[in-house]
Amino acid sequence: MTDKRVAIVTGGARGIGAAVAKRLAEQGRDVAVVDLDEAATAETVEAVRAAGGRAIGVGADVSRTEAVEAAVGRIADELGAPTILVNNAGILRDNLLFKMTDDDWDQVVAVHLRGAFLMSRAVQRHQVEAGWGRVVSLSSTSALGNRGQANYAAVKAGLQGFTKTLAIELGRYGVTANAIAPGFIATDMLRQTAERMRITYEDFLAGAAKEIPVARVGQPEDVAEAAAFFTSDAASFVSGQVLYVAGGPKA
């Protein structure tokens, strides 16, 4: 098909989401940049337009059903039926298990796991009708377990099972579902981790690079390239997979 594809990237205001949105625009996609604060999407929207795509910013809490339904409806009206979905929205509420509060757990589950479910359910209607679709969900190497991240590890592992199930259910409709599990990627989210560990961000990055086989930390663009492949026509026979973008073997 040569029709213009419309993509949704959640958590697209910065970091990995912004890099993915820009890369998809370079592939010729129109992009809806979804984030909690619509005003925060302006820079990414401008980058998408500069790369040649149409773009809108949409403010939505992906953990709320009514907000998701309204956002996807607006995107369909303003850009066209969305057939590419990148579930990237996420938050951190790190703590050791005995210090982790109910709210720490519930918020992380709501944004990452419930958010991916709600967005995927809303978008699949358009994908099935089109007979073509791509769902890419952001997992993490933390899915393998990580100290202080019982909540985050659980949802990132959950997204892998969710992805494999979507691949089974939606494959007959021309829809593929895959997950990307980034390792150590230099983003603002990791600044929070460095602060929690009481070290500078620069020292945090340098220390991590020493433990990575390719001897560098990842960049958002590394993840964006994986997303570009998974959402392409060339990946039509790749579904239900988890790709670790981590500079070395992780699973």
Side-chain angles (χ1 to χ4, degrees), residues 113 164 172 190 195 201 206:
L113 206 48
K164 292 176 183 295
R172 69 186 63 188
L190 283 183
E195 290 172 5
Y201 184 56

Side-chain angles (χ1 to χ4, degrees), residues 109-183:
V109 171
V111 175
H112 291 265
L113 206 48
R114 178 179 170 85
F117 157 65
L118 292 177
M119 288 297 305
S120 299
R121 187 178 64 180
V123 171
Q124 63 84 31
R125 294 194 292 268
H126 297 286
Q127 295 172 324
V128 170
E129 183 176 347
W132 188 98
R134 299 286 186 265
V135 179
V136 177
S137 296
L138 270 293
S139 179
S140 168
T141 55
S142 291
L144 304 173
N146 198 30
R147 179 178 172 84
Q149 290 193 317
N151 49 5
Y152 190 76
V155 296
K156 291 307 189 182
L159 281 169
Q160 296 188 16
F162 178 68
T163 292
K164 292 176 183 295
T165 302
L166 288 189
I168 293 167
E169 292 188 5
L170 299 178
R172 69 186 63 188
Y173 304 108
V175 181
T176 67
N178 293 284
I180 302 170

Side-chain angles (χ1 to χ4, degrees), residues 4 24-26 28-31 45-55:
K4 190 83 165 179
L24 295 186
E26 291 170 352
R29 315 305 192 187
D30 294 331
V31 184
V45 166
E46 182 55 37
V48 168
R49 291 172 178 166
R54 294 186 303 148

Side-chain angles (χ1 to χ4, degrees), residues 55-133:
I56 60 172
V58 178
D61 179 349
V62 297
S63 71
R64 294 176 54 241
T65 302
E66 60 274 22
V68 167
E69 293 292 338
V72 173
R74 176 185 164 192
I75 291 161
D77 289 342
E78 295 188 23
L79 287 181
T83 54
I84 296 171
L85 171 64
V86 180
N87 288 311
N88 171 73
I91 60 172
L92 289 177
R93 295 292 184 271
D94 293 353
N95 226 325
L96 294 174
L97 182 62
F98 77 98
K99 294 181 179 179
M100 188 170 289
T101 67
D102 291 1
D103 197 47
D104 290 337
W105 180 272
D106 291 345
Q107 286 190 38
V108 169
V109 171
V111 175
H112 291 265
L113 206 48
R114 178 179 170 85
F117 157 65
L118 292 177
M119 288 297 305
S120 299
R121 187 178 64 180
V123 171
Q124 63 84 31
R125 294 194 292 268
H126 297 286
Q127 295 172 324
V128 170
E129 183 176 347
W132 188 98

Side-chain angles (χ1 to χ4, degrees), residues 176-195:
T176 67
N178 293 284
I180 302 170
F184 200 101
I185 309 295
T187 64
D188 286 342
M189 184 177 280
L190 283 183
R191 290 184 184 274
Q192 300 175 37
T193 304
E195 290 172 5

